[in-house]
Amino acid sequence: SVFDDFATLLSLFRVYHFPPCTMTGTDANGVAGHAPSKPLNELFCNLPTTIFEVMSKLAMEHNSVNLGQGFPDEEGPASMKEVAGQALTQFHNQYPSMLGVPELRQAVARHSANHAGIPCDWATETLVTVGATEGIAACMLGLINEGDEVIMFDPMYDSYVSMARRAGAVIKPVRLALPDFHVPLEELAAAFSPRTKLIMVNTPHNPSGKVFTRAELEAIAALCIQHDVIAVCDEVYEHLVFGGAQHVSLRSLPGMAERSVRLGSAGKTFSFTAWKVGWVTGPARLLAPIIKAHSFLVFTVSSSLQRGVAHGLDHESSFYLGLGPSLSKKRALLAPHLAELGFGILPGHGAYFLVADVSRFLRPGEDDAAFCMRLTREGGVTLIPISCRSQ
């Protein structure tokens, strides 16, 4: 069916089940024992079961087509696999540089200059991370102090909130406005205060598919400069843009180079989600504490995979520059079928996501989460309710 062909449009997340934070059991001799009674980390113990786990479990129970747990339809360039494989035997397999192998850091700097228009000193302004998610964690831990306020656009990637709170931040959400997910500039301006340390800007946006306009980014830049705020720019979908939209990096705007860091991802750029190779670029002063956080989180990243990504950034631009047009064709095929069924199709010009308005199908007292569960049980199709990505 058309749904089988477009399982990549809503998510690349994988869902795991974790045991409860308190439990009892028996040892190898069958002797009953008890887990330590002292409380474990309150933040992570009290996080609810993710909506991806809830919906995926429900999909399995009802043999439903799961559009909420996808992966790229195609593998990335074969040449990158070859380079990574050869690197296992051509180079040593001991700890590489904590910052990343020079080949990849140099390639990241060239990519930044060529595609974002942002010059980057590879020796002092680049860091290779275990995917962009580890980069996010390192940014939060390295930049935030207890009580700092962090502005985030709602809905959002769920890692942002958890890691910012772990670092001691107070979250100040600003909800993107429907129907086109535009930035409500008056609400955004009101969210800034003397305690604002950081703003998280994700464009193209997960999960709406919005691409921030230059005018919106210029307004964000002006507020950052006015209030002396750092911007963390999650741009992992920078090449997944279509429909006439253009990706602009906030860091490329006047006055923002020295107060911004950018995050990139080989998983999104090359459809190699298992490799978990990402990068952070930014001024040396901001990178310094991020690097220290990175050193205690993971220390380093697989050197052979780094060399494969370096090859891809330098020699496989046709792959990542073709992602936007490919997704545009898929969206153009799926959207009319959804419209024929009566779904409202919200605009989107980037990333894998297609957001549909289900309000006409809601029963009295039903929200989008309840609708998605009912659709799984009765219709055999599983979606992810976007409200569960909101604060």
Side-chain angles (χ1 to χ4, degrees), residues 6-12 67 71-73 204-209 236-237 240 242 265-273 323 327 330-331 334 349-355:
F6 294 97
T8 63
L9 285 175
L10 295 185
S11 175
L12 282 174
L67 299 189
F71 50 85
D73 292 326
H205 183 253
N206 173 359
S208 73
V236 298
Y237 298 106
L240 282 66
F242 48 85
S265 165
K268 305 301 188 295
T269 302
F270 295 108
S271 299
F272 283 137
T273 59
L323 291 172
L327 287 172
K330 293 178 179 182
R331 183 183 176 95
L334 177 60
H349 300 94
Y352 304 99
F353 313 105
L354 188 153
V355 180

Side-chain angles (χ1 to χ4, degrees), residues 93 102 149 151 163 175 177 197 277 286 324 348 362:
N93 285 269
E149 293 181 353
I151 296 173
M163 289 313 305
R175 177 159 296 187
K197 167 68 73 67
V277 177
L286 295 184
L362 297 180

Side-chain angles (χ1 to χ4, degrees), residues 17-23:
H17 175 71
F18 295 97
C21 290
T22 59
M23 60 187 300

Side-chain angles (χ1 to χ4, degrees), residues 204-274:
H205 183 253
N206 173 359
S208 73
K210 170 190 172 56
V211 177
F212 282 56
T213 66
R214 178 177 287 274
E216 289 173 331
L217 293 170
E218 288 174 344
I220 294 170
L223 288 167
C224 287
I225 294 169
Q226 177 185 345
H227 294 276
D228 192 24
V229 167
I230 299 167
V232 174
C233 307
D234 181 352
E235 300 180 16
V236 298
Y237 298 106
E238 62 182 312
H239 295 298
L240 282 66
V241 178
F242 48 85
Q246 181 181 8
H247 171 67
V248 176
S249 174
L250 179 63
R251 191 165 184 254
S252 71
L253 300 183
M256 292 305 296
E258 292 302 313
R259 64 175 62 251
S260 305
V261 295
R262 294 179 71 223
L263 294 147
S265 165
K268 305 301 188 295
T269 302
F270 295 108
S271 299
F272 283 137
T273 59

Side-chain angles (χ1 to χ4, degrees), residues 39-289:
L40 306 180
N41 182 267
E42 293 183 3
L43 172 67
F44 291 113
C45 283
N46 292 327
L47 286 177
T49 303
T50 70
I51 189 62
F52 304 99
E53 182 172 356
V54 171
M55 297 308 299
S56 292
K57 181 179 179 181
L58 195 65
M60 288 188 289
E61 290 175 356
H62 294 273
N63 195 28
S64 171
V65 175
N66 189 355
L67 299 189
Q69 185 179 1
F71 50 85
D73 292 326
E74 299 176 358
E75 289 275 303
S79 66
M80 293 175 63
K81 295 182 183 179
E82 294 171 2
V83 170
Q86 292 168 2
L88 285 170
T89 56
Q90 293 177 351
F91 297 89
H92 69 75
N93 285 269
Q94 308 308 320
Y95 293 124
S97 166
M98 176 183 67
L99 299 176
V101 300
E103 297 98 312
L104 179 53
R105 293 165 63 204
Q106 291 165 6
V108 165
R110 287 189 290 269
H111 182 265
S112 175
N114 293 338
H115 294 283
I118 305 172
C120 186
D121 180 356
W122 76 268
T124 62
E125 298 182 334
T126 63
L127 170 67
V128 180
T129 59
V130 180
T133 299
E134 189 256 313
I136 292 167
C139 287
M140 298 300 184
L141 294 174
L143 298 174
I144 293 171
N145 290 314
E146 186 78 26
D148 286 343
E149 293 181 353
V150 175
I151 296 173
M152 299 181 181
F153 291 104
D154 197 352
M156 66 191 75
Y157 177 39
D158 49 6
S159 174
Y160 299 160
V161 171
S162 296
M163 289 313 305
R165 285 181 174 158
R166 177 63 276 180
V170 176
I171 309 302
K172 304 289 285 187
V174 175
R175 177 159 296 187
L176 297 173
L178 295 175
D180 58 353
F181 295 103
H182 66 270
V183 176
L185 295 180
E186 291 186 3
E187 294 178 25
L188 175 62
F192 281 80
S193 81
R195 295 181 299 278
T196 306
K197 167 68 73 67
L198 186 151
I199 184 170
M200 193 81 206
V201 180
N202 171 213
T203 182
H205 183 253
N206 173 359
S208 73
K210 170 190 172 56
V211 177
F212 282 56
T213 66
R214 178 177 287 274
E216 289 173 331
L217 293 170
E218 288 174 344
I220 294 170
L223 288 167
C224 287
I225 294 169
Q226 177 185 345
H227 294 276
D228 192 24
V229 167
I230 299 167
V232 174
C233 307
D234 181 352
E235 300 180 16
V236 298
Y237 298 106
E238 62 182 312
H239 295 298
L240 282 66
V241 178
F242 48 85
Q246 181 181 8
H247 171 67
V248 176
S249 174
L250 179 63
R251 191 165 184 254
S252 71
L253 300 183
M256 292 305 296
E258 292 302 313
R259 64 175 62 251
S260 305
V261 295
R262 294 179 71 223
L263 294 147
S265 165
K268 305 301 188 295
T269 302
F270 295 108
S271 299
F272 283 137
T273 59
W275 286 25
K276 293 301 293 180
V277 177
W279 52 87
V280 183
T281 58
R285 178 178 175 273
L286 295 184
L287 274 191

Side-chain angles (χ1 to χ4, degrees), residues 19-36:
C21 290
T22 59
M23 60 187 300
T24 61
T26 58
D27 63 18
N29 299 314
V31 178
H34 296 276

